[in-house]
Amino acid sequence: AVGAREGIIAFKAKYVEAIAAVQPLLASNMRIHILKDIYPAGDEVITIWMATGRRVPPAALPKDVGVAVNNVLTLINLARAVDHGTPVTERTLTISGAVSDPITVTVPIGTPLRDVIARAGSITTAKPYFVNGGPMMGKLLDGIDQPVTKTTGGIIVLPEDHIVIRRHRQPMRDVMAIARAVCEQCNLCTELCPRHLIGHELHPALIVRSANYHDIGKPSVLLSALTCSECAICEQWACPVNISPMRINVALKEKFRAEGARYVGDLRPLDPMAEHRLVPTSRLVTRLGIAPYNKKAPLDESETHPAMVVLNLRQHVGAAALPVVQVGDVVQRGQLLAEIPPEALGARIHASISGRVSAVSSQSITVTA
Ligand code: SF4
Ligand code: SF4
């Protein structure tokens, strides 16, 4: 569909079973690429560079270097849609961290997170916090009385005093105060920034310096914050004095996006040390204090049958979907519930369980089994 001459499936070497399962199925124009066990190997820009040698310029897309890159779940969903016309109605996610029985489950979209987390046994910390996504790039959830969406990642449960949680909860004024007080311009955040290493202008040390002086600095340096992947290497790994250049970048991004500003800049030469400065995952696990939670989360293929699902009308880039059902309608799993607005970019929403529509609002549609 994208006219690709070659297909590459990128694995880390540790996924021995998956590699063995895929190897015999490869077409003649496909190959497996073994990624080093480094972070952020899953950042698509870094994956592309490691698997093909091509470097995506700053503020550009993979297609600009002739690459289409997708994760496994997206490819599964694509295959189901193309081969069987099946819409996306379920999500596979891992529940790990401070739980008695880490687990990977597939649940209908819209299932309350609380119910999904309960599948991982008991929570083993008195004051749990919940991160949606990985420990480096995940977002802190403001509670678990919310539904699973098409983009919900793995859920990590962590204690209140865990470094990952303390980072997330640190108020922005504290981030700025620490940056102003102790940034020694050691440049480590820049030297270890994966985007900088592959030739992007992004220079977190200079951005911190500019932010500390009322955003005085070369405009393109500040605007390059828009190209930050939010991988958190600068915050969780590089900075010796606990500054978060990433949070400063995120704040700048919000400001620039509100102003409609854009970054324009060329790809620069690759740092000759790039390959050696990416962070081994094992060392990162130790640094983040997540080694005690680094356990297998086996796939449980038993089905989940929630009593109710809440389907958000915006689970995607673009406009919220428009409901095409009313309260009281009986719907079947897979049935269209909300349509893309005319002339807009968006995605349809389908029923993830069979039942009756029990609520329709501007934000969501509720289906009760
Ligand atoms: S690593 Fe920390 S101290 Fe060094 S330049 Fe970056 S923000 Fe400043
Ligand atoms: S979070 Fe930090 S290390 Fe990662 S891309 Fe942004 S500036 Fe670079």
Side-chain angles (χ1 to χ4, degrees):
V2 295
R5 288 193 306 273
E6 182 187 30
I8 303 170
I9 301 181
F11 285 105
K12 288 186 176 173
K14 62 186 176 184
Y15 296 116
V16 176
E17 287 175 28
I19 294 168
V22 167
Q23 186 83 58
L25 304 175
L26 294 178
S28 58
N29 62 346
M30 295 182 74
R31 66 178 168 92
I32 286 176
H33 180 87
I34 302 297
L35 296 168
K36 282 187 180 174
D37 196 5
I38 55 91
Y39 179 84
D43 170 0
E44 64 180 15
V45 168
I46 302 300
T47 315
I48 291 169
W49 170 56
M50 293 172 78
T52 70
R54 300 182 192 185
R55 293 180 296 136
V56 181
L61 295 170
K63 71 173 178 56
D64 298 322
V65 292
V67 177
V69 55
N70 286 292
N71 66 30
V72 175
L73 265 185
T74 301
L75 289 174
I76 290 172
N77 287 333
L78 262 175
R80 285 177 179 157
V82 172
D83 294 346
H84 308 291
T86 308
V88 179
T89 59
E90 55 187 30
R91 182 86 186 154
T92 299
L93 61 163
T94 297
I95 312 299
S96 59
V99 291
S100 59
D101 305 297
I103 194 170
T104 302
V105 289
T106 300
V107 300
I109 290 170
T111 303
L113 269 180
R114 186 177 293 282
D115 294 359
V116 183
I117 291 167
R119 296 276 301 272
S122 54
I123 292 176
T124 57
T125 180
K127 288 191 175 172
Y129 279 77
F130 303 89
V131 176
N132 174 13
M136 293 290 275
M137 295 185 76
K139 305 289 178 217
L140 188 64
L141 290 169
D142 56 7
I144 52 175
D145 290 316
Q146 52 185 297
V148 172
T149 71
K150 289 178 187 175
T151 58
T152 304
I155 302 295
I156 307 175
V157 185
L158 290 171
E160 181 185 37
D161 60 355
H162 194 278
I163 178 66
V164 171
I165 300 303
R166 283 192 275 124
R167 286 280 198 189
H168 277 291
R169 298 183 70 210
Q170 190 172 46
M172 194 59 201
R173 66 171 183 281
D174 292 1
V175 171
M176 290 308 305
I178 295 169
R180 284 196 188 103
V182 297
C183 178
E184 57 207 44
Q185 283 293 293
C186 68
N187 219 33
L188 271 175
C189 51
T190 296
E191 287 173 10
L192 296 174
C193 169
R195 295 292 171 106
H196 188 82
L197 288 170
I198 64 158
H200 291 198
E201 181 177 9
L202 179 62
H203 197 313
L206 287 185
I207 293 176
V208 171
R209 187 162 77 186
S210 295
N212 286 347
Y213 291 96
H214 307 285
D215 291 352
I216 295 171
K218 196 173 154 200
S220 73
V221 168
L222 282 162
L223 279 168
S224 74
L226 285 165
T227 66
C228 167
S229 68
E230 299 176 33
C231 72
I233 282 290
C234 52
E235 170 190 284
Q236 298 278 23
W237 179 259
C239 184
V241 289
N242 290 327
I243 295 168
S244 175
M246 181 182 76
R247 291 279 300 274
I248 295 171
N249 286 348
V250 170
L252 283 170
K253 278 184 180 182
E254 279 174 23
K255 172 174 166 276
F256 291 141
R257 283 181 181 147
E259 294 169 352
R262 298 186 64 179
Y263 171 79
V264 180
D266 293 331
L267 188 61
R268 298 167 176 209
L270 180 74
D271 185 312
M273 292 298 290
E275 214 180 313
H276 310 290
R277 287 198 171 144
L278 299 174
V279 181
T281 307
S282 55
R283 291 181 63 195
L284 196 56
V285 164
T286 305
R287 171 75 68 88
L288 287 177
I290 52 173
Y293 307 119
N294 197 19
K295 299 176 188 162
K296 287 216 157 135
L299 178 65
D300 179 344
E301 294 188 65
S302 60
E303 290 190 4
T304 302
H305 298 286
M308 180 192 83
V309 291
V310 177
L311 297 146
N312 289 346
L313 295 174
R314 178 177 274 153
Q315 305 183 26
H316 45 261
V317 174
L322 298 174
V324 296
V325 291
Q326 297 178 336
V327 172
D329 286 357
V330 173
V331 295
Q332 299 301 316
R333 182 178 177 189
Q335 184 176 330
L336 182 69
L337 298 186
E339 183 55 279
I340 303 167
E343 310 295 323
L345 174 73
R348 291 171 166 164
I349 304 293
H350 298 82
S352 58
I353 61 171
S354 299
R356 191 178 290 275
V357 176
S358 52
V360 177
S361 74
S362 57
Q363 270 86 45
S364 62
I365 295 173
T366 305
V367 177
T368 305

